[in-house]
Each structure stands twice: as structure tokens, then as C-alpha cells.
Amino acid sequence: MKTHKQETTLELLRKFINSHTWNVAVSSIMICDIILVLLHYYLSAPIPDSFFLLADFIVFVTFFFDTFMRYKLSQQGQFLSISKNRTSLFITLVSGLNYVSHRMPHSTRFGAIEGCHIAVMLIRLLWIVPRLNRSYIHTQQYEPVSTRSLRILQEFRDRSICGLESDLGLKSEDIDFIIGVIRNDKLYQNHFQEIQDKTEIENDQAIFLKHFFSDQTANTTPTKSKKETEMPSPTPKSHVEFSSDVKAYLSFCDDWSFDILKLQDIIDQTVKSSSSPLSQISSSSLSSPLVIVGFHIFQKLELSKTFQIKESTLISWLSSVDEAYISTNPYHNSMHAADVLHGVYFHLACAGLAKPFSPLEVFACVVSAIIHDIGHLGLTNGFLKMTRHDLAINYNDISILENMHASKGWRLCTDPKHNIFSFLSPDELKLMRELIITMVIDTDMARHSTLTAKFAAKVPMGIDWTNSDDKKMILTMLLHCSDLGNTARGFEIASKWGHRVTDEFFNQGDKEKELGYPITPNMDRRESDVAKCQMTFLKFVISPLFKEWCDFIRTFGNSFECPSSSKIADQLQTNVNNNIFMWLTLRKDVPVEQAKAIPVETPRSKSFSAKLPRRRNFEGGSRVNEN
């Protein structure tokens, strides 16, 4: 391990070798030597051999030192381009050969002198100009932000240790630079704008470099789009009027007991009644909970107004997404998408989670909830891999369904027939795509343990709401918890979804049996106990997840003055604990009297979930196979 003194010496050598002064000195020596050759061989100037001997000795020593130090620095990782040493090494060898040849008898060295000096002259002419142009770039432009930050802090520390607090030698812009780096997420970016401003690098090359590193240094603060720079036009009043029954039930949208399945029943009854049209426009397109709840939430969150989405465009897009879901799936259908969408809305609007997020981030989260299971086949990723399904081949067995959802959903969002992103700027569109892909793919249950562990480790350290990665993690967890949110609703609702997901698993088990594959655990309708599977899944997966999530909601509520957050967190945990108890009472292998004797603890006492063992991988519950 290198000591701090060794690191400082290497840094000084690197600065010296790559400094403009050193390169000018080397170039000057080469120019003098070239002039000497031209005067003697082409102008027949009477120059003593001692001058050639001295000149070649100086050139040899200079390039030997330059080559040797660059080689050493390359070994220590202090020099970027090892290949640049080859030219310097060749000049060293030729200069050494010239020096040796000058000490030979005249008759022996004449041909060698001519050939070597001509070769050296050409190489040096090709070497001088680019090296002068690039000398400053090597010292400043390619210094990463992280390296520069550490260098400034080390200088500050060293001078403080030496008692030089009164004269730290740091410029005000250095201090401002460090503060700026700490405040944002650009720590590992290369400051190419500074390169372009301070050097002679060509403009097209600077643009290329910025583009080349765009994936690593993506701008998370989008530039203003046309809708922000132009005079906003007033949004017309909505022309969509739902039937009285649908409108009455939508008024409960701000309640966690809002039941999508009940809304579907109300819609079905309304559609059957010829005297009670569902709405004033296209009744057929508004016969789905996803379309109705989606339209309602877009109005409640003012997303249509903010992003200038026409009602006809929004209805067309929601209808297309609804049709892309497979309605014959018992669980993964458009009603599940509507349920997840309501969960996201409830947390954003009622628990106050929308406060630290930009409208674009809220928009991305809502869209992700709507499309997160689009086109789901009603089968798990494991089944698709086992049967070598085309989707498994296309996505290389990695988050197969989730990759398909993100891809298919994005295509529908940007379809010219109903492009809901038409008013986004290129930067906004880029950030939107990044957020949607991250959130949708992280709904893969195979990522559950990693995602939850990362969240649990980060929350006690504090969420930096100015950091894009922290905000993205919260949005991802919000969608993940909403995706599993039906388990945290009242038992009347949770039990219906529990039976639906089990029916879907049983259908897969039937296919596995038909194809001759071993039946996945908990998917054999002849042997599986629905209540036991659901209770186990809630006990070992949902309860630990919502324990972490609800603790975060309470902390968030205190920080952002959202008094409802704590009540919502208590409600979620109480529902999870109660649902575990209710499924326990329905188990075939547990007597009812024994189950009822088990107390249900509230979040304010020692949490029931705190007593549950945490498993990194769960293999006994039914929902682990959900994707």
C-alpha cells in the first residue's frame, strides 16, 4: 500500500511530466537539434562534432527521463495513455544510437548519422505540435471530478496538519467546487464543459465526448420543454361525465378501502342498464376500471393539465393499455393494474409522498403503475425459462416478463395515435424512459430481497431528496409496495385477490402437469392449501416489507409535516397483521379454536412483524412465484 508521501510524490511527478512547461522544454530541445542538423548537413555550416555529441546527449537524457517516468507512472495508474510512451521510447533509442555513432570513426558513422538524423528529424516534427496542444489537456481536462475533489480535500488536510490554517492556499472556486459536488450526484462525472472552455479541443470532439459519456452522466434535471417556455393555454373543462353510481364510488378514491373489484361490479351493472349511460362519450371505451380510475387520477393529480394531454388522447391511450392486458388472467389483468395505480395514487396524494417529487417523476410513477404488468401471460418467469419460451430467449432469461412489460408499455405510450409524451422535451423524455424502465423491472420478485435490503439500509442513514438515485429508489419501492398492496388492504378485499392469484398459479400447475414438467410448489390444486400459502407469504415476505415501508412513511410524515402519514402506516401494518391471523384461521391444518387464541398485535405495541424471521429467499409461499 502506498503511503500518503508516496502518493504526493507521484502526483508531483505526474504534474511535472504532463505540464506545459516540461513539454515546451522538450520541444525546444528537439527544435534546436533539428536546426543543428539542417545547418550542418544541408547548409554546410562548419559545426564541430562536439556540438552534435552534446546535442544528442541532451536529447538522449531528456527522452530517457521522459520515457522512464511515463512508464513508472503508467504502472501506478497515474498516466492515462501508455501507448503514447512508444514514440518517446523510439526517439530515446534513436538519440542514443546517434550519440554512440558520433563517437565512432568518421568513415564508419557517416551513413548511420545521415539515416538516423533524418529519421529523428521526421519523428520529432510529427511529435512536437500534437504534444504541445495536448500537454495542458493531460494535466487538467481529464481529471475526474472525484479525483479533483479528493485532491483538494487532501491539500486542505495536509496544510491543516502542518498548522497552516491561516493560509490554506485554496482558492474560493475550489471550495465552491467541493460544495457543489457534495450537493449533487455528479461525483463521478468528467467535467467536459471545463475541458472545452479551457483548452483548444475542437468543438465537435467536445460534443462527441459529452455524448459518449451521456449514459454515465445523464442529466437528471431536464431542460424546459415547449410547454414550459410557451404561454400556457387554459385547460378546457372535462367533457367526460361518469354515471352517478360510478361517480359516487370514485369519491372514495382517497380511502384505502377503495375496492377495484367492487367498482367493476358497479360498471357491469351500469353497462347493463340502458337508461343509465356510463358517460357521455364512448361507453364501450369506459367500461374498464383501469380507464375510469386512470382518467380520474390524471385529473386529480393534474397531470393532464401539467403535460397538456388531451382528453381524447388520454382515453385512447388508457383504452389501448387496457386491451393489451389479457382479460382471461384471474389475477394479472387490467383490474390488477387499476388496483396498483390506486395504491400509488393513495401514497402520493393521501400520505403526502408527492411533495418531494417533481411533476415529471410523479407522472412517471403513475404511468409505470398502469403499464407494469401489460401483456402478462398469467405464467411465471420460471415457467417461461423452463419451457424456453420466445420471451425467455428474447430477454436472455433475465426479468423476462418485466422487460416485456417495460418495452410494450413504452411503445404504447409513444404511439403516434395516442402519444401522451408528445409535449416532453428530449431530456424529459430520456428521464421518463429511465424511470419507467427502472420501476417496472424492479417489480420482479426475484429482485425483492435486494431491493428491500437496499431500502432498509438507506432509510436509517437518511434520504437525500436532492439526490436522483435516492428519489428513484423511493419511487421504485412505492410501486413495488403498491404492486403487493392488495395484501395490506382489508381482509374482505385481500382475500378476493388472494384467491385470484392462487387460481392463476393453479392454472400454471395444470399446464406443467400437461406438459410433463414437475409442478411448481403451491401450484398443485389437488394438494395446495390456499390459506396456508397466503399466510406463509404474508408472514415471511409481506410483513417484513411493510414493516420497513411503514417505518419510512412515519419518518417521512414527520419530516414533511404530513400528519396523515402515521395513521396510514398504522393502518397498513394493522391490515397485514390481521390478514395473517385471518388466513391462519382458514388453514386446514390448524384448528379454529387454536387460531383464534393467537392475539393480533397492533403496530404501536411490539410489532407482530418484528417477531417474524427475515429470510433472504422465500420458497414456501405462493406469491414468490408471482412473476
Side-chain angles (χ1 to χ4, degrees), residues 25 64 157 208 220 312 471 519 588:
F64 179 82
R157 180 194 63 184
F208 166 76
T220 54
S312 58
K471 295 174 74 176
I519 301 178
K588 299 176 182 178

Side-chain angles (χ1 to χ4, degrees), residues 351-353 355 465 550-566:
L353 286 183
K355 287 188 176 182
W465 294 105
C550 291
D551 286 347
F552 162 73
I553 292 177
R554 294 187 186 96
T555 304
F556 174 88
N558 294 332
S559 301
F560 285 86
E561 298 180 355
C562 300
S564 61
S565 298
S566 181

Side-chain angles (χ1 to χ4, degrees), residues 538 543 572-582 600-603 607-609 612:
L538 265 68
S543 185
L572 293 175
Q573 275 194 277
T574 299
N575 285 349
V576 171
N577 295 339
N578 183 67
N579 290 342
I580 293 174
F581 171 77
M582 293 301 295
V600 180
E601 301 187 33
T602 64
S607 176
F608 180 73
S609 60
L612 302 175

